[in-house]
Amino acid sequence: QFPFGRRLPCDIYWHGVSFHDNDIFSGQVNKFPGMTEMVRKITLSRAVRTMQDLFPLEYNFYPRSWILPEELPLFVAEVRMMKDSDPSWKPTFIVKPDGGCQGDGIYLIKDPSDIRLTGSIQSRPAVVQEYICKPLLVDKLKFDIRLYVLLKSLEPLEIYIAKDGLSRFCTEPYQEPTLKNLHQVFMHLTNYSLNIHSGNFIHSDNVNTGSKRTFSSVLCRLSSRGADVKKLWSDIISLVIKTIIALTPELKVYYQSDIPAGKPGPTCFQILGFDILLMKNLKPMLLEVNANPSMRIEHEQELSPGVFENVPSPVDEEVKVAVIRDTLRLVDPQKKKRKDIQQHIESCKNKVNVRYNYFMCYRCQTLEHVSEANEELSDVGPADRPEYDAPKGPEAGLPSLCLKQVFPKYAKQFNYLRLVDRVAALFIRFLGVKGTTKLGPTGFRTFIRNCKLSNSNFSMASVDILYIDITRRWNSMGIDHKESGMCLQAFVEAFFCLAQKKYKSLPLHEQVASLIDFCEYHLAALDEKRLVCGRG
Ligand code: ADP
């Protein structure tokens, strides 16, 4: 800890809240610039919605959401329309203030007219979401899952998921929402910070009982009821990868702004907390992503009235210690050095499969891990293998990794979803001045010209109108007033407009993919031309 500042450079910087240090020129930081902003309820909902517009079936793991106050009229109109078309539909909605946490300010409503408009909604934007009325219950209680995910690198994308997580239980038996029980937070909200105040809260002294259990213990229960746990894991992995794919385009914009390419700077990694709710049919639904998940392994206990003491929490310890330990193992700066040795081993002929996925080189007497590229999507599952004999070397004595790589391991199955990443790459190319996150009108015009997008049907005057219209609307939403210009989401909207104009009859994702190919082709040709001219 450096409470008074730090002089010497470090290998790893472990920040408490967010990426907030401009004085780091090397090493690794445990936070990505912009992550806290990206996982706020409104930003996450917008990012997922962009993906839902492109790939509605692939992104059906996030409840239908509307952003307040700007989409209140849309919310009212859409709900009315859905009710008219299906009078038996009796929905419930959950209203969550943006930037809130621990259930703060959350309430349930049955009708759009119940939204509390007085004061708070104007000053505090929120997301209103379809409430999942039929969650999976264990011991008649609603629960959610907290899973830890390591985003090890953004470029190239590298994602790991912890094999075990936490299950956080409500403390009142669940009933489907009615006007009478809507206010019962101990029945509807799974937040630990709320339920701890219920008289029914049970501190767990082992991992499979009480109000906070390991996810693996719940999986065991489900498996004994005949549930397909492998399929469930596969769905969870898919949810995590798709969610991160929705976040990466904007994260890259933040990244190039805070750590400009070509200048000395750190690399980043981050542990994220994914909150997931299982529906009765075992479908996982994303509730939210936490950029700064609690890593506490103790809880407060009231010894006598008013006297509290911190006592160890075995469930938290079981899950969280492994996550931190393995994150450090994966980002270990010495690993790079060992990688060089591995290259030697791979070129060495004297390899013998020792056990599981370790190879031993007799010449250099080193044990090295081997890629597990052929595993199935669900292979991350709860610890299902016996611990192997610990390797000799720096990791001697440590248990097998609890963090399992899921990307790039399953990249082939998900890469087709990464269209907005490619749009963001175009955006970043035309940002021009390093350190900005918004595109000026000249940058936008250059983009149109270099990609040969204007023609007799789409004049440069129309280009300017498109820029002004979309930029003004996004800037009036009050997201970020620090800089003027077109933000990434506005550029994405403009890009979708252009794609729809150019490739009329295709589905949206094909229109967008075709336009990206078209732009990339022209930019590559331009680069080639410049290279030749330069040489000349
Ligand atoms: P916070 O950041 O305040 O914890 P969450 O989005 O995690 O906000 O919501 C709090 C709790 O409310 C969740 O843990 C979950 O139990 C419940 N919840 C949230 N969204 C939904 C939903 N769409 N359907 C059902 N329950 C939900």
Side-chain angles (χ1 to χ4, degrees), residues 15 23 42 60 82 91 119 169 207 262 269 291 322 396 446 464 476:
H15 287 179
D23 292 336
I42 288 185
N60 65 3
M82 287 185 279
F169 282 72
V207 293
F269 65 93
T446 314
D464 290 340
S476 72

Side-chain angles (χ1 to χ4, degrees), residues 265-282:
T267 55
C268 303
F269 65 93
Q270 188 153 359
I271 298 172
L272 301 168
F274 272 67
D275 291 349
I276 293 169
L277 187 70
L278 297 183
M279 300 205 336
K280 208 173 177 175
N281 60 4
L282 279 188

Side-chain angles (χ1 to χ4, degrees), residues 331-519:
V331 302
D332 177 4
Q334 297 299 320
K335 228 177 185 132
K336 166 129 187 31
K337 289 187 196 147
R338 291 204 296 278
K339 239 188 187 156
D340 297 341
I341 301 176
Q342 185 180 5
Q343 275 168 0
H344 159 66
I345 292 168
E346 266 155 20
S347 62
C348 167
K349 298 268 182 305
N350 306 327
K351 281 190 256 177
V352 173
N353 188 346
V354 176
R355 240 174 131 176
Y356 296 108
N357 26 40
Y358 277 79
F359 281 89
M360 175 173 254
C361 167
Y362 284 124
R363 189 143 57 89
C364 34
Q365 290 293 299
T366 327
L367 275 160
E368 279 301 327
H369 205 246
V370 166
S371 118
E372 299 159 326
N374 296 326
E375 286 174 280
E376 285 174 47
L377 197 57
S378 53
D379 211 43
V380 72
D384 45 6
R385 297 177 187 167
E387 304 273 288
Y388 52 76
D389 286 349
K392 292 175 191 140
E395 300 202 355
L398 290 179
S400 62
L401 281 174
C402 81
L403 290 171
K404 297 289 277 180
Q405 193 196 80
V406 294
F407 204 96
K409 188 171 171 185
Y410 303 122
K412 269 195 196 144
Q413 295 167 55
F414 296 94
N415 271 342
Y416 74 100
L417 298 171
R418 302 181 69 190
L419 288 183
V420 187
D421 255 351
R422 289 167 67 196
V423 177
L426 296 172
F427 177 78
I428 290 170
R429 176 178 169 131
F430 290 98
L431 275 181
V433 189
K434 298 265 184 272
T436 55
T437 57
K438 291 193 174 171
L439 188 65
T442 317
F444 190 69
R445 282 176 140 243
T446 314
F447 153 69
I448 297 283
R449 219 177 276 127
N450 288 3
C451 295
K452 306 220 178 307
L453 293 176
S454 85
N455 51 37
S456 53
N457 288 331
F458 187 51
S459 65
M460 284 316 271
S462 321
V463 169
D464 290 340
I465 292 170
L466 181 74
Y467 176 87
I468 292 166
D469 271 0
I470 294 185
T471 304
R472 191 181 291 154
R473 193 152 38 74
W474 277 90
N475 287 348
S476 72
M477 287 180 208
I479 300 158
D480 170 16
H481 291 302
K482 280 192 290 253
E483 277 178 60
S484 63
M486 182 182 240
C487 61
L488 175 70
Q489 300 97 317
F491 182 77
V492 169
E493 187 183 324
F495 197 89
F496 285 13
C497 270
L498 295 169
Q500 282 165 317
K501 228 190 216 337
K502 197 168 168 63
Y503 304 98
K504 289 200 173 63
S505 56
L506 300 173
L508 182 64
H509 69 270
E510 285 183 31
Q511 292 172 327
V512 171
S514 305
L515 188 62
I516 296 171
D517 288 343
F518 184 85
C519 294

Side-chain angles (χ1 to χ4, degrees), residues 21 53 62 144 182 229 322 416 447 475:
D21 198 332
D53 289 344
Y62 191 67
D144 77 352
L182 278 188
V229 169
Y416 74 100
F447 153 69
N475 287 348

